[in-house]
Amino acid sequence: LAQGSRNMQSEKRALLGEDNGAAAGGSHGGQGDEKQREQAMFERGNNLKETGLTTGEIDGLREKWGFNELEEEEINPFLQFLGYFWGPMPGMIWAAIIIELAKAASGNGGGEDFGVLMGLQ
């Protein structure tokens, strides 16, 4: 029983990256070695599922990697509001506004359309 407990502890250390590579099989190269390493990782993961991590191991992993959470990106509300005025559709409306303003300035009408488009924008 003590041997099994030591094996589980060494498997946990290897899975957590605290092992010096002894669980990797010792040799470097060859497809058989790769498959053996994958099988060993699979078996260690299954044993870890049954036994779980200790509180110390959890604290060590949190210290090393942090909590399992995503950082939220802060968005300036004013810049988000200005973003609504940028894009293909607002660009088309701005182009129409400029055209109607040019029509109104030349005396060919378009003042009402200019006002409507400005209201839309």
Side-chain angles (χ1 to χ4, degrees):
L1 187 63
Q3 178 66 26
S5 177
R6 272 187 264 138
N7 284 342
M8 278 199 260
Q9 290 298 322
S10 66
E11 288 173 358
K12 283 183 185 180
R13 282 194 301 275
L15 190 60
L16 296 172
E18 298 170 358
D19 197 20
N20 293 336
S27 63
H28 301 284
Q31 200 144 50
D33 291 339
E34 176 104 10
K35 289 190 186 258
Q36 287 175 343
R37 282 191 290 259
E38 287 177 10
Q39 182 64 29
M41 288 280 286
F42 179 75
E43 289 171 6
R44 283 193 300 271
N46 283 340
N47 286 340
L48 194 56
K49 263 198 274 187
E50 293 171 6
T51 59
L53 295 172
T54 66
T55 305
E57 291 168 334
I58 292 170
D59 291 339
L61 288 171
R62 282 188 180 154
E63 195 173 303
K64 182 176 182 180
W65 300 106
F67 285 93
N68 185 20
E69 59 190 11
L70 297 174
E71 294 181 18
E72 290 190 33
E73 185 178 324
E74 294 290 326
I75 299 173
N76 185 337
F78 181 69
L79 293 178
Q80 185 178 11
F81 174 74
L82 287 180
Y84 294 128
F85 297 98
W86 187 255
M89 199 62 198
M92 302 267 292
I93 294 174
W94 281 113
I97 288 171
I98 292 169
I99 291 169
E100 292 301 322
L101 184 62
K103 275 177 52 178
S106 68
N108 292 332
E112 300 86 17
D113 293 335
F114 170 75
V116 169
L117 289 170
M118 280 301 287
L120 284 174
Q121 189 56 32

